[in-house]
Amino acid sequence: MDDMSGPHLIRGSVALPEAELAWRFSRSSGPGGQHVNTNDSQVELRFDLANTEALPEVWKQRALERLADRLVDGVISVRASEHRSQWRNREAAAVRLAALLAEATAPPPRPRRPTRVPRGINERRLREKKQRSQTKRGRSGKDWG
């Protein structure tokens, strides 16, 4: 049953390496009706991030850093048990892992370049503040005989 729907792309032309994925199936927890407790429909997908050759080195370092708190000995694992069919849970887990890796390997955002507020705009703001404060001061009724 290896007719998974195509390779799961992480980003660009890099896909999840099918050969390096370790699948584990177990019974889903939670309340069950007929069928649910008899099938191993929960899927756990494990991927050895620390020792993979499938990712560019830069991406790998980035992912190891960003996912540090989720890794166990350099292995990332994803669970899926929301569907009743094992096959759909496999799909869900693979998609989830691909998304996780895509996010973790994304290049860091460009640093923000600080910009200065033009002097004219700043002066206008201060003028308007003064104006507003005068208006409000004029509202206090202390000079009304």
Side-chain angles (χ1 to χ4, degrees):
M1 187 179 132
D2 256 342
D3 54 330
M4 299 291 281
S5 67
H8 290 278
L9 289 181
I10 296 175
R11 217 175 48 249
S13 59
V14 181
L16 281 181
E18 212 48 64
E20 294 182 30
L21 301 180
W23 298 93
R24 254 191 29 216
F25 307 104
S26 54
R27 296 186 177 172
S28 294
S29 59
Q34 299 154 325
H35 160 86
V36 75
N37 293 330
T38 57
N39 287 16
D40 292 345
S41 57
Q42 172 170 291
V43 171
E44 186 183 353
L45 173 56
R46 298 163 65 83
F47 175 59
D48 190 346
L49 187 56
N51 299 316
T52 183
E53 297 293 315
L55 297 180
E57 196 53 41
V58 190
W59 287 23
K60 195 158 102 173
Q61 290 314 319
R62 229 181 260 157
L64 285 169
E65 239 165 74
R66 294 193 186 156
L67 298 173
D69 49 347
R70 283 197 55 169
L71 295 174
V72 182
D73 298 333
V75 176
I76 181 100
S77 70
V78 177
R79 278 213 180 100
S81 59
E82 59 271 22
H83 301 295
R84 278 176 55 169
S85 105
Q86 186 191 95
W87 190 82
R88 285 176 64 193
N89 278 333
R90 283 176 68 146
E91 269 306 290
V95 167
R96 212 170 288 168
L97 180 63
L100 196 68
L101 288 174
E103 203 174 308
T105 58
R110 276 224 176 100
R112 179 183 173 280
R113 295 200 20 224
T115 54
R116 287 190 46 213
V117 180
R119 207 166 115 211
I121 289 180
N122 210 11
E123 284 174 357
R124 189 179 80 201
R125 182 181 62 89
L126 293 175
R127 257 202 320 278
E128 284 170 0
K129 274 175 69 124
K130 254 186 203 133
Q131 188 70 50
R132 167 68 68 208
S133 106
Q134 290 296 62
T135 307
K136 288 189 169 188
R137 262 167 98 188
R139 290 183 191 153
S140 76
K142 60 173 182 271
D143 297 338
W144 284 36

